[in-house]
């Protein structure tokens, strides 16, 4: 999700306001569970949903998100991008004093964190209690005439002095409310509790979520923009975070690591530079080519031609590279592909055949990342399909299937992303 015009952020102002007036207390490092949207542990879980239905939903939602992302990158629209239900990852966190726990959708493609609050003019159904600012002794409302409100793109709320925010997404999801600050905390595997005071977030009073029966409080942004947790708490977490995503067939949970615990330094790690581009929410890197066996296709695009996105299931490649990858896959698999693959999927095989999917190597600048079949293909007894599609534009997307069983570290000080092949179910 990305909000461009409605949340115009100022890095310089935010740095001065948030961190100059209070001492920096560093977290030694901690982790938080990441629950897949289609996991039995998720409030979205539907036991009756078939794998074939899941496969098609992932494709449809990913294609919709890819089109919206392209629109935002080209600055042709101002809406944010919706996260597919099955593709999302949920995170539990606490707000306020005393702390109240919530689940929210985690997204590296959005910045602002917001939750539903009381009083609520219009809220979607949420089984858990809404956040009550009046019940927290540490909650503070931002004033509309403050520099922080202006830096977050806020405006005056009605006739009060409160700072109002608005975010609209690519579907019917939206949130309008008041910007405030409170203590954000996590319970972790490594430490009992880690708290971040004065975290700025949206207290939603008029919200709509397109997801049905979703017991989530809102959206948690981990993008590169100035309103995200990663930027607001950058000094406390040593300017770094990492995560490990489990396969969708696993009933386990992934992990988000912040601070010292996020450092990836074991043998086998490879790193590639982050590229600064607009919008700054996205984590851009450079894809130089893709190999299967002894065949390689090279990218004709320049630096920052692909970004990593936790909210898109599929990987999307520029058309010429996609066509070449399809040709290489067909040449490496002996079985004949389906002439009429389901939906908008480009390359599929019969599920009851002995399809041996080859490894793919993504050649990023300075880092060769080997993708296993779990990263590039998915299916069931009826059909097996490649989880790579054309991006219909010059910028590609490295989706969350491609990130499965990798420990990905984002070092925002050194401006690099590191990949380490890992069994994420064991974290």
């Amino acid at each position: 999700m990305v909000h461009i015009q409605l949340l115009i952020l100022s890095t310089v102002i935010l740095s001065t306001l948030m961190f100059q007036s209070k001492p920096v207390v560093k977290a030694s490092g901690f982790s938080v569970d990441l629950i897949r949207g289609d996991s039995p542990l998720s409030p979205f879980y539907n036991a009756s949903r078939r794998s074939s239905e899941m496969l098609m939903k992932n494709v449809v939602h990913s294609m919709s998100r890819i089109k919206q992302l392209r629109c935002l990158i080209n600055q042709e629209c101002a809406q944010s991008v919706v996260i597919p239900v099955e593709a999302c990852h949920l995170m539990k966190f606490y707000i306020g004093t005393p702390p109240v726990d919530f689940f929210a959708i985690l997204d590296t493609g959005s910045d602002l964190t917001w939750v539903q609050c009381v009083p609520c003019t219009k809220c979607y159904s949420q089984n858990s209690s809404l956040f009550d600012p009046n019940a927290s002794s540490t909650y503070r409302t931002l004033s509309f005439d403050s520099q922080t409100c202006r830096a977050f793109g806020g405006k005056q709320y009605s006739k009060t002095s409160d700072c109002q925010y608005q975010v609209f997404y690519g579907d019917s999801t939206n949130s309008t409310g008041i910007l405030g600050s409170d203590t954000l905390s996590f319970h972790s595997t490594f430490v009992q509790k880690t708290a971040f005071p004065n975290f700025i977030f949206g207290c939603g009073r008029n919200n709509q979520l397109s997801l049905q029966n979703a017991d989530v409080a809102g959206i948690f942004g981990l993008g590169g923009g100035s309103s995200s947790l990663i930027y607001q708490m950058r000094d406390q977490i040593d300017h770094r975070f990492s995560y490990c995503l489990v396969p969708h067939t696993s009933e386990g949970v992934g992990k988000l690591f912040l601070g010292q615990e996020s450092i990836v330094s074991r043998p086998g790690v490879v790193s590639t530079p982050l590229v600064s581009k607009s919008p700054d929410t996205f984590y851009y890197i450079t894809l130089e080519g893709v190999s299967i066996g002894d065949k390689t296709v090279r990218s004709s695009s320049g630096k920052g031609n692909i970004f990593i996105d936790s909210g898109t299931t599929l990987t999307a490649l520029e058309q010429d590279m996609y066509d070449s990858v399809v040709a290489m896959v067909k040449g490496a698999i002996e079985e004949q592909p389906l002439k009429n693959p389901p939906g908008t999927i480009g390359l599929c095989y019969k599920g009851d055949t002995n399809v041996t999917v080859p490894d793919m190597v993504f050649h990023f600048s300075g880092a060769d990342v080997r993708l296993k079949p779990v990263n590039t293909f998915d299916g069931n007894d009826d059909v097996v399909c490649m989880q790579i599609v054309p991006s219909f534009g010059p910028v590609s997307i490295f989706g969350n299937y491609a990130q499965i069983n990798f420990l990905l570290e984002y070092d925002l000080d050194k401006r690099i992303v590191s990949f380490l092949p890992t069994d994420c179910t064991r974290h």
Side-chain angles (χ1 to χ4, degrees):
M1 302 177 187
V2 184
H3 15 90
I4 294 180
Q5 296 178 355
L6 295 174
L7 292 174
I8 302 174
L9 310 174
S10 169
T11 299
V12 176
I13 293 176
L14 289 174
S15 298
T16 302
L17 292 174
M18 288 190 230
F19 301 109
Q20 191 177 61
S21 60
K22 63 175 183 281
V24 174
V25 178
K26 289 192 176 183
S28 59
F30 63 99
S31 71
V32 183
D33 288 345
L34 298 180
I35 302 173
R36 281 188 58 88
D38 55 7
S39 163
L41 301 174
S42 165
F44 299 143
Y45 182 64
N46 184 348
S48 64
R49 185 169 290 163
R50 298 180 303 171
S51 59
S52 58
E53 183 183 356
M54 297 280 291
L55 178 65
M56 292 311 304
K57 280 184 174 292
N58 282 339
V59 173
V60 171
H61 289 148
S62 288
M63 295 303 292
S64 175
R65 182 173 169 91
I66 289 166
K67 290 179 181 178
Q68 292 165 355
L69 288 167
R70 186 180 70 249
C71 176
L72 291 168
I73 291 170
N74 294 335
Q75 298 184 356
E76 296 171 349
C77 57
Q79 291 182 323
S80 297
V81 180
V82 65
I83 300 180
V85 178
E86 291 80 8
C88 76
H89 291 81
L90 307 177
M91 184 176 71
K92 188 176 185 179
F93 60 98
Y94 301 77
I95 294 181
T97 306
V100 181
D101 64 293
F102 298 100
F103 275 108
I105 299 172
L106 180 78
D107 188 26
T108 58
S110 70
D111 298 320
L112 183 70
T113 295
W114 60 267
V115 297
Q116 296 200 115
C117 294
V118 293
C120 194
T121 306
K122 179 183 178 182
C123 280
Y124 57 84
S125 177
Q126 178 181 322
N127 293 336
S128 58
S129 299
L130 276 58
F131 179 65
D132 183 358
N134 292 328
S136 173
S137 62
T138 48
Y139 179 82
R140 299 291 183 271
T141 300
L142 295 187
S143 172
F144 82 91
D145 59 357
S146 67
Q147 285 185 309
T148 307
C149 179
R150 291 193 293 271
F152 272 69
K155 62 181 182 180
Q156 184 175 6
Y157 178 72
S158 186
K159 296 181 181 180
T160 70
S161 61
D162 296 338
C163 177
Q164 176 181 285
Y165 76 91
Q166 289 181 304
V167 286
F168 298 92
Y169 302 100
D171 61 351
S172 58
T173 300
N174 62 79
S175 178
T176 300
I178 305 301
L179 284 176
S181 68
D182 208 335
T183 298
L184 172 71
S185 56
F186 302 92
H187 284 190
S188 170
T189 304
F190 303 104
V191 292
Q192 184 175 4
K193 183 180 178 183
T194 302
F196 299 95
N198 304 317
F199 175 66
I200 298 174
F201 67 101
C203 210
R205 294 183 176 177
N206 191 327
N207 318 295
Q208 186 170 346
L209 196 66
S210 64
L211 313 180
Q212 299 297 318
N213 302 318
D215 188 20
V216 292
I219 293 170
F220 203 103
L222 282 185
S226 304
S227 63
S228 75
L229 166 73
I230 301 304
Y231 187 86
Q232 289 191 49
M233 305 304 172
R234 64 194 187 281
D235 288 337
Q236 293 99 314
I237 61 173
D238 288 329
H239 298 234
R240 68 176 78 239
F241 71 99
S242 62
Y243 56 77
C244 211
L245 304 182
V246 299
H248 71 97
T249 54
S250 170
E251 294 187 359
V253 297
K255 291 286 186 180
L256 169 69
F257 303 93
L258 294 145
Q260 289 294 314
E261 197 61 40
S262 68
I263 297 176
V264 178
S265 59
R266 294 193 292 265
V269 64
V270 293
S271 302
T272 186
L274 281 165
V275 179
S276 297
K277 291 181 66 174
S278 179
D280 60 2
T281 298
F282 296 140
Y283 296 103
Y284 293 94
I285 55 180
T286 301
L287 178 63
E288 298 178 342
V290 177
S291 292
I292 297 178
D294 59 357
K295 292 181 171 57
T296 302
V297 56
R298 295 291 176 183
S299 172
S300 59
S301 302
K303 292 183 178 180
N305 59 354
I306 189 169
F307 62 88
I308 307 172
D309 184 29
S310 69
T312 302
T313 307
L314 309 186
T315 289
L317 299 177
E318 54 186 302
Q319 188 70 55
D320 290 346
M321 178 171 282
Y322 168 77
D323 291 339
S324 297
V325 168
V326 169
M328 288 192 297
V329 172
K330 288 181 177 179
I333 296 178
E334 294 182 358
E335 300 294 332
Q336 290 298 309
L338 295 178
K339 293 183 179 180
N340 297 303
T344 56
I345 305 177
L347 182 61
C348 293
Y349 295 86
K350 292 181 65 176
D352 58 357
T353 57
N354 187 23
V355 177
T356 302
V357 177
D359 289 355
M360 295 186 193
V361 179
F362 274 51
H363 302 285
F364 298 112
S365 177
D368 291 342
V369 176
R370 181 173 294 274
L371 301 185
K372 299 295 184 180
V374 68
N375 302 116
T376 58
F377 271 74
D378 189 26
N380 49 52
D381 292 338
D382 299 323
V383 63
V384 177
C385 298
M386 188 170 75
Q387 301 299 288
I388 301 176
V389 295
S391 65
F392 305 108
V395 178
S396 300
I397 302 170
F398 198 66
N400 64 37
Y401 262 55
Q403 302 170 49
I404 289 171
N405 281 342
F406 282 97
L407 187 55
L408 268 73
E409 180 196 0
Y410 298 72
D411 188 325
L412 306 182
D413 192 17
K414 294 181 180 178
R415 298 292 299 166
I416 59 173
V417 176
S418 298
F419 297 80
L420 178 67
T422 306
D423 182 355
C424 293
T425 63
R426 297 187 176 185
H427 268 282

